[in-house]
């Protein structure tokens, strides 16, 4: 896609938040070019919070954004869908503090966008192109990004469970691949951890209709899994949702090893805090060969 987009008409969905469990009405509304994605708390005098890495507040179990004390919780699934489906500009109106979890996956949001349609503006899209590799790592987990002329993703996970174990996914993130292979994957949890999470005030809205629950040897959900590697696909969904906070379409290959929201946020911070890691290019420029920028000279000669 060479030009910026928005949706064609407003669409709405209602539900509960996964962690706070509060009811919420959400509406996605067309926005002009150069707006980006902006959350609006309609219950708080239409207070606006841009979907930006600069507003990240909390990264434990879900990603939350905050500006001047106003919170939007669990942004990653909806942002993942908007980013992957190529929507550059939209207002997301909510009348509570958490995005509805719907069925725990991105599929209902993909359906909403299909209902809304896409409009293309005349303003050329500006991509964030990665110029040199960067890695964040800790405790055997890591996430890296390397130059590539499209947005690609490799996600590797390990969970000690007979239905999970080691899983891996490698894909180019196109709207088609995303809608079919990643969006339907649901959020998941392990029965053994539920009490602890509830004690932390989390997953108050979780049910078997909006999350996969792994019992010691199986899953508690009547329909079973949607994919044998549904966990890995969902981790890819989450990763894209956190990368979306870059605020521009990405040209680079991301490789994640057992990474979570905290590490995704650290990578985004590392990229955005160092302008020698990326440049901002139109689609045409992106097709030419990227050249690394010279490193900033931090030590003066003499
Ligand atoms: Zn998730």
């Amino acid at each position: 896609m060479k030009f910026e987009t928005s949706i064609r008409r407003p669409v709405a969905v209602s539900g509960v938040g996964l962690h706070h469990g509060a009811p919420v009405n959400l509406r996605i509304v067309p926005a002009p070019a150069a707006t980006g994605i902006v959350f609006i708390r309609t219950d708080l005098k239409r207070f606006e919070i841009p979907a930006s890495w600069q507003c990240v507040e909390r990264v434990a179990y879900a990603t939350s954004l905050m500006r001047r004390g106003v919170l939007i919780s669990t942004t990653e699934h909806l942002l993942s869908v908007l980013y992957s489906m190529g929507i550059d500009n939209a207002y997301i109106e909510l009348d509570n503090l958490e995005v509805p979890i719907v069925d725990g996956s991105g599929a209902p949001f993909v359906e909403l966008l299909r209902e809304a349609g896409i409009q293309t503006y005349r303003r050329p899209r500006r991509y964030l192109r990665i110029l040199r590799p960067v890695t964040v790592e800790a405790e055997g987990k890591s996430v890296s990004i390397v130059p590539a002329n499209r947005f690609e993703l490799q996600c590797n996970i390990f969970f000690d469970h007979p239905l999970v174990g080691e899983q891996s996914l490698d894909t180019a993130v196109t709207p088609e691949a995303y809608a079919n292979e990643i969006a339907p994957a649901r959020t998941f949890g392990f029965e053994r951890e539920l009490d602890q999470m509830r004690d932390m005030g989390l997953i108050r809205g979780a049910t078997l209709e909006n999350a996969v629950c792994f019992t010691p040897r199986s899953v508690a959900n009547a329909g079973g899994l949607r994919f044998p590697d549904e966990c890995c696909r969902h981790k890819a969904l989450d990763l894209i949702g956190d990368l979306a906070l870059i605020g521009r379409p990405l040209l680079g290959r991301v490789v994640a090893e057992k990474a979570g929201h905290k590490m995704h946020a650290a990578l985004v911070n590392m990229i955005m805090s160092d302008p020698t890691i990326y440049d901002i290019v139109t689609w045409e420029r992106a097709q030419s060969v990227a050249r690394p920028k010279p490193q900033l000279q931090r030590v003066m000669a003499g």
Side-chain angles (χ1 to χ4, degrees):
M1 272 180 275
K2 294 179 182 177
F3 296 95
E4 284 195 20
T5 62
S6 185
I7 54 169
R8 232 170 232 294
R9 62 190 76 82
V11 281
V13 66
S14 299
V16 298
L18 178 67
H19 293 299
H20 297 271
V24 56
N25 299 296
L26 178 142
R27 218 162 74 100
I28 312 174
V29 180
T35 305
I37 306 295
V38 179
F39 289 95
I40 300 177
R41 285 285 298 267
T42 56
D43 57 327
L44 295 175
K45 298 180 181 166
R46 301 189 60 81
F47 189 85
E48 295 189 359
I49 305 176
S52 163
W53 63 282
Q54 289 165 305
C55 295
V56 170
E57 201 270 330
R58 209 152 28 91
V59 287
Y61 296 97
T63 297
S64 301
L65 305 178
M66 187 183 264
R67 191 167 77 85
R68 291 196 218 142
V70 175
L71 191 73
I72 302 277
S73 188
T74 320
T75 55
E76 62 271 21
H77 298 171
L78 176 55
L79 291 182
S80 175
V81 171
L82 291 166
Y83 200 57
S84 304
M85 301 304 284
I87 306 297
D88 302 297
N89 304 289
Y91 297 117
I92 303 170
E93 299 177 346
L94 301 105
D95 61 358
N96 212 324
L97 81 176
E98 190 171 14
V99 176
I101 189 65
V102 283
D103 75 344
S105 82
F109 295 131
V110 171
E111 276 313 304
L112 269 188
L113 295 188
R114 286 184 173 148
E115 190 188 319
I118 293 183
Q119 59 174 319
T120 304
Y121 296 125
R122 290 186 180 181
R123 183 184 163 92
R125 263 185 136 188
R126 288 155 64 80
Y127 291 78
L128 187 141
R129 175 171 62 172
I130 296 298
L131 298 177
R132 61 180 174 89
V134 259
T135 299
V136 177
E137 56 190 326
E139 296 157 3
K141 304 172 180 187
S142 69
V143 56
S144 308
I145 191 161
V146 299
N149 61 5
R150 56 183 187 168
F151 179 24
E152 301 171 357
L153 194 63
Q154 190 194 78
C155 195
N156 303 304
I157 64 160
F158 175 80
F159 287 96
D160 186 12
H161 187 280
L163 291 185
V164 190
E166 272 185 38
Q167 297 180 346
S168 183
L169 178 80
D170 198 326
T171 185
V173 185
T174 63
E176 298 71 30
Y178 181 85
N180 295 325
E181 308 297 331
I182 296 176
R186 293 162 294 173
T187 196
F188 60 92
F190 297 88
E191 201 178 56
R192 59 182 186 238
E193 293 172 357
L194 296 185
D195 286 342
Q196 191 195 345
M197 290 180 78
R198 287 197 191 97
D199 288 347
M200 293 165 73
L202 297 163
I203 60 165
R204 287 181 212 160
T207 69
L208 292 175
E209 272 64 60
N210 61 29
V212 175
C213 176
F214 286 95
T215 57
R217 304 219 58 81
S218 185
V219 285
N221 309 65
L225 293 171
R226 291 181 179 175
F227 305 95
D229 58 351
E230 187 166 359
C231 293
C232 190
R233 292 169 192 249
H234 187 80
K235 285 288 179 183
L237 187 158
D238 282 343
L239 171 59
I240 297 167
D242 290 336
L243 293 168
L245 296 170
I246 285 173
R248 294 185 185 284
L250 185 61
L251 300 172
R253 173 176 175 79
V254 182
V255 180
E257 300 278 348
K258 303 177 215 161
H261 294 298
K262 192 174 166 187
M263 200 158 257
H264 305 160
L267 179 74
V268 169
N269 260 298
M270 188 181 266
I271 296 169
M272 300 312 285
S273 309
D274 184 348
T276 68
I277 294 171
Y278 64 87
D279 62 359
I280 305 289
V281 290
T282 60
W283 180 254
E284 276 78 16
R285 277 266 333 268
Q287 302 316 301
S288 65
V289 179
R291 276 190 211 93
K293 286 185 206 169
Q295 296 282 317
L296 286 176
Q297 285 296 321
R298 291 214 167 83
V299 183
M300 302 300 286

